[in-house]
Structures are given as structure tokens and as C-alpha cells.
Amino acid sequence: MRGLSIDQLRTLVEVVELGSFSAAARRLNLTQPAVSLQIRELESRCGLRLVERVGKTILPTAAGRDLIVHAERISAETDRAVAAMRSHRDGHAGRLHLGTGPTVLAFLLHPVLQRLREHYPNLELVITTGTTGDIVEQLLSNVIDLGFTALPVEGLELVATIARWEPGMNVRTLVDPTPTG
């Protein structure tokens, strides 16, 4: 069987729900012949009748009822996918995979993450804890998007930015671990 068309599945649901090709056409903003064609093509793809006329009413066959159950789930998933893409387009959703050490997470990042959650409630935040070596390896292999770890961090592919500095720290040594001289 060739792939099923979401539009044809929605048309089937509407035809059966409304009991009429004409009523389904009005709801879908299509012509009645277009609705009839979609049902014929869907029946052709499935290789069997999905609806039958009983007087002036259209009723589903057993196969049609089974397909409608699937069509409704597919339609709901399609609606969720469209809503998710709308959130991405509008800048209200996404996923950030953060790698950090357990101490940094517990003592430094907790209030930052709380504010992030308040300002971006639809952001999916995935946090992985590990050692500096683990975090660097995950950054380099694109497993995580952002890493908070102790410095120095080796790797020319990485950009290190100091997020917290305390008196007595040698900034040059932390940011550029290559020996001078």
C-alpha cells in the first residue's frame, strides 16, 4: 500500500462524522467533488471500501471505522507537531543540554536555572553531571550544548569564558593553558 495522505484521512473523519460529502466539503473548504475524489483515492490506496451510502447518510465500513481510529491519533500527533514548530518559530521552545560538575550545579547554577525556567517556561533543560574531562568530551562530540566546568580546559575547538572569578585566580593560566616563555 502506498503512503496515506493526512488530508485524505482528515477528509474521511469529516465525511463519517458529518454523514455527508457535501457537509464535509463545506467544513474543509473544499468542493464536494474534491472530497469524493479524496475518499476514492484513499479507498484505492487501502484496496477496499471505507464508507457506504445508507439512504442519504454516509456510514463507515468496519475497515473505515478501524482507519478512523488511526486517523484521529495521526491528526492529534500532527496538531502537536505543528504546535511544537510554532513554538520554535516564535522562540518559545527548544532544548538546552547542559553539562556541569555536581558542585557547580548544587551551589552556583541552581538560582540561575530557576530564573531561566521563569523566563523560558517552554525550554526543555537537560542537565548532565560529570568531570571536567567528561564535559569536554561531550562538548567536542556534540552531546551537550553548553558546559560549566573548572578551568583550564584544553581543546582548540572550545571557547572558554570565565563565569566566576575569585581573587587570587590567575586568569591567563585559566583561559590559555599553553605555557608561555
Side-chain angles (χ1 to χ4, degrees):
M1 178 188 328
R2 293 183 349 208
L4 299 175
S5 159
I6 292 171
D7 290 334
Q8 290 171 344
L9 293 172
R10 283 189 177 177
T11 299
L12 173 66
V13 170
E14 293 296 330
V15 165
V16 170
E17 181 180 310
L18 298 172
S20 162
F21 284 86
S22 298
R26 283 189 298 277
R27 184 180 281 177
L28 295 168
N29 293 318
L30 297 171
T31 64
Q32 187 274 327
V35 168
S36 296
L37 178 63
Q38 285 192 7
I39 297 299
R40 276 195 312 276
E41 287 177 351
L42 187 58
E43 288 177 333
S44 175
R45 284 188 176 163
C46 293
L48 44 94
R49 305 249 334 139
L50 300 171
V51 295
E52 58 189 5
R53 248 185 225 286
V54 177
K56 291 186 175 188
T57 304
I58 302 296
L59 295 174
T61 63
R65 284 190 299 275
D66 285 346
L67 185 56
I68 287 169
V69 170
H70 294 287
E72 288 171 339
R73 284 198 311 259
I74 291 167
S75 179
E77 285 299 318
T78 301
D79 292 344
R80 281 192 281 281
V82 168
M85 294 304 101
R86 189 177 308 114
S87 292
H88 281 282
R89 183 193 66 220
D90 296 342
H92 299 295
R95 174 183 292 166
L96 174 65
H97 196 148
L98 171 69
T100 186
T103 305
V104 171
L105 179 61
F107 295 104
L108 299 177
L109 288 181
H110 186 71
V112 173
L113 296 175
Q114 279 183 315
R115 283 194 307 275
L116 186 66
R117 176 65 62 215
E118 290 168 8
H119 291 287
Y120 301 97
N122 293 326
L123 177 67
E124 182 182 350
L125 189 57
V126 179
I127 301 173
T128 302
T129 58
T131 65
T132 297
D134 295 337
I135 293 166
V136 168
E137 184 179 309
Q138 290 175 7
L139 280 167
L140 292 173
S141 60
N142 206 27
V143 171
I144 61 175
D145 303 307
L146 181 65
F148 280 93
T149 187
L151 292 174
V153 172
E154 295 183 23
L156 298 176
E157 303 90 351
L158 300 175
V159 175
T161 302
I162 296 175
R164 181 179 167 142
W165 180 82
E166 293 182 10
M169 295 174 88
N170 183 339
V171 176
R172 170 104 174 108
T173 305
L174 292 176
V175 176
D176 183 8
T178 56
T180 57

